[in-house]
Amino acid sequence: MKTIDEYLDEQINEQLCQAVLSGSKGEGPSKAKIRPVEIKGQVIYQVSETVGTKVLHRNYHREELIQYLKEGLQHHFSQLQSSGMTLDGTVLVSKKGKVTIKTRRHPGNAQNQSTSGKDKPAQTGEKKQILAHNRVKQYILKENTPVPFLVDLGVMNKEGRIITQKYDKFRQINRFLEFIQDILPKLDQQKEVTILDFGCGKFYLTFAMYYYLRELKGYDVNIIGLDLKTDVIEKCNGLAVKYGYEKLHFYQGDIADYEGVSSVDMVVTLHACDTATDYALAKAVEWGAKVILSVPCCQHEVNRQIKNDTLEPILKYGILKERMSALLTDGIRANLLESMGYETQILEFIDMEHTPKNLLIRAVKTGNKRKMDDAAELMNALHIRPTLEKLLYPEGEVHSEN
């Protein structure tokens, strides 16, 4: 009978289609799915772990994956099922630690076996067939191209190779840049573009934005980062000097009180807590920002206000009330921005800690203002008046009491 080492050595190769760890022992993830992907011509293995309602992704090289699977079966899981081009198998671990391994070879593939019983490397055509559905996403920031701030963050090594444990952060940075890539036609490349980033505590996205727009795309950008934390500002300014980013500056302060500019081309606000997002959006409208990118956070205000007898069977459950309030908050914010002449979208964005996906509000100024009648009726029905409405309509034009 095969040992786990022998089985994994035989199964984990380019012919693997998928493997699943299950039967959680109560600690760690409840499930983990593994599949091979091809990056820069190299086969690596992507592991998707389910932890509660979250799905976490990690990439491993072959030997790293084998060690991961062995440790998983020893500590966290009782079963491993895998399927491949030539071999399927199941590993079962009893409560007492007894290991049972069952394998099944696909008919007609005996010729692919060596005298030692190990699979021969897959033919080129087979490899392409296996990996065809795993076409690698073309990221804006490329692997094997060193980027100074990513090296300092530990996302890349000095040769530009992505550190396995930091691959999610690399994906998240690129996802953020995709949102900016989509709105590039709205930014004038013939003049200086002013961007204000409020709540730049996750400073690597600010540096990524500067690097992408100025170094890769050639825009004359002037990026101003605002944050309330002194240590964040000092660190960011030090890094900007280190990298020679002459038009990237950080200041301590609140966007609601910032008067350093009279107009802004783009406002970015990521994870500004509760009504701080509303003040940032209102300020962006006041400045006439052509583009607004906002990832709201901690929407508590509507949760405190919402009241509706018809919805009471749902609202009496705290977690459902909280989630509904968050969705209503962002939906109303989007409608309010549309009433100010913006075309808005609500999109999925990878969270800073690479866990659940958050929502991003992307607003592009068109000048075409939409009426707020439906949204006003909704707010009246739910007895809510969000801060953004008060800031944009201080006289109460939207929130009719009729």
Side-chain angles (χ1 to χ4, degrees), residues 80-360:
L80 170 65
Q81 290 183 306
S82 56
S83 60
M85 291 290 290
T86 62
L87 179 70
D88 295 341
T90 301
V91 178
L92 300 173
V93 182
S94 70
K95 292 182 179 180
K96 295 184 178 181
K98 181 182 177 181
V99 178
T100 302
I101 300 176
K102 298 180 181 179
T103 60
R104 181 180 68 85
R105 296 205 177 277
H106 295 191
N109 283 314
Q111 68 273 21
N112 288 336
Q113 308 307 313
S114 66
T115 55
S116 64
K118 295 184 179 180
D119 293 337
K120 287 184 177 181
Q123 299 297 321
T124 302
E126 291 175 338
K127 177 181 175 182
K128 289 181 179 179
Q129 180 182 353
I130 296 168
L131 300 176
H133 65 289
N134 293 326
R135 294 185 184 276
V136 180
K137 184 177 180 62
Q138 295 301 309
Y139 290 116
I140 291 176
L141 300 183
K142 306 297 185 182
E143 294 189 64
N144 300 316
T145 301
V147 179
F149 68 90
L150 291 182
V151 174
D152 282 350
L153 276 171
V155 177
M156 286 182 169
N157 63 19
K158 293 181 179 180
E159 289 72 41
R161 178 179 171 183
I162 308 303
I163 306 302
T164 301
Q165 293 80 2
K166 298 292 185 178
Y167 208 89
D168 281 344
K169 182 172 288 187
F170 179 71
R171 288 176 56 247
Q172 185 238 4
I173 292 171
N174 276 282
R175 178 61 174 152
F176 175 67
L177 293 180
E178 287 173 5
F179 291 123
I180 295 177
Q181 183 181 53
D182 290 343
I183 55 84
L184 283 181
K186 305 299 179 181
L187 303 179
D188 189 349
Q189 199 167 9
Q190 305 305 314
K191 70 177 189 66
E192 182 182 79
V193 174
T194 300
I195 299 173
L196 196 142
D197 183 1
F198 172 61
C200 58
K202 301 292 184 178
F203 66 88
Y204 50 86
L205 293 181
T206 314
F207 281 89
M209 181 165 52
Y210 185 93
Y211 177 83
Y212 172 65
L213 289 172
R214 190 171 181 87
E215 304 294 326
L216 298 185
K217 290 298 181 179
Y219 281 78
D220 180 13
V221 293
N222 176 35
I223 297 182
I224 301 166
L226 290 179
D227 199 276
L228 297 175
K229 299 177 181 178
T230 303
D231 57 336
V232 169
I233 297 305
E234 291 177 353
K235 181 176 183 179
C236 290
N237 277 323
L239 290 174
V241 172
K242 176 181 177 180
Y243 305 142
Y245 293 172
E246 297 177 353
K247 288 194 172 184
L248 177 58
H249 305 285
F250 298 89
Y251 302 99
Q252 183 180 17
D254 191 321
I255 193 172
D257 303 320
Y258 184 70
E259 300 294 341
V261 294
S262 57
S263 64
V264 173
D265 294 287
M266 182 163 75
V267 170
V268 177
T269 169
L270 304 180
H271 289 70
C273 190
D274 200 16
T275 57
T277 294
D278 297 305
Y279 284 98
L281 294 177
K283 200 71 173 182
V285 172
E286 176 188 331
W287 284 326
K290 297 182 179 68
V291 177
I292 303 170
L293 298 179
S294 175
V295 177
C297 178
C298 307
Q299 299 99 317
H300 298 310
E301 183 182 45
V302 168
N303 190 35
R304 294 190 294 266
Q305 297 177 352
I306 188 171
K307 183 179 179 181
N308 182 278
D309 292 340
T310 303
L311 292 176
E312 184 56 27
I314 305 300
L315 298 178
K316 68 180 181 180
Y317 299 106
I319 190 171
L320 296 182
K321 182 182 178 184
E322 181 182 350
R323 292 182 181 180
M324 181 179 290
S325 298
L327 293 173
L328 285 167
T329 300
D330 290 338
I332 291 170
R333 283 169 172 162
N335 277 271
L336 285 165
L337 290 173
E338 288 177 359
S339 76
M340 292 287 105
Y342 286 84
E343 179 182 343
T344 62
Q345 295 173 287
I346 298 182
L347 307 165
E348 283 189 330
F349 181 55
I350 304 171
D351 184 82
M352 293 295 179
E353 301 303 326
H354 326 302
T355 48
K357 288 187 175 179
N358 285 344
L359 298 181
L360 179 142

Side-chain angles (χ1 to χ4, degrees), residues 388-402:
L388 183 59
E389 184 207 5
K390 298 174 187 177
L391 295 172
L392 296 180
Y393 294 93
E395 303 300 322
E397 295 93 336
V398 169
H399 204 277
S400 172
E401 299 296 336
N402 297 332

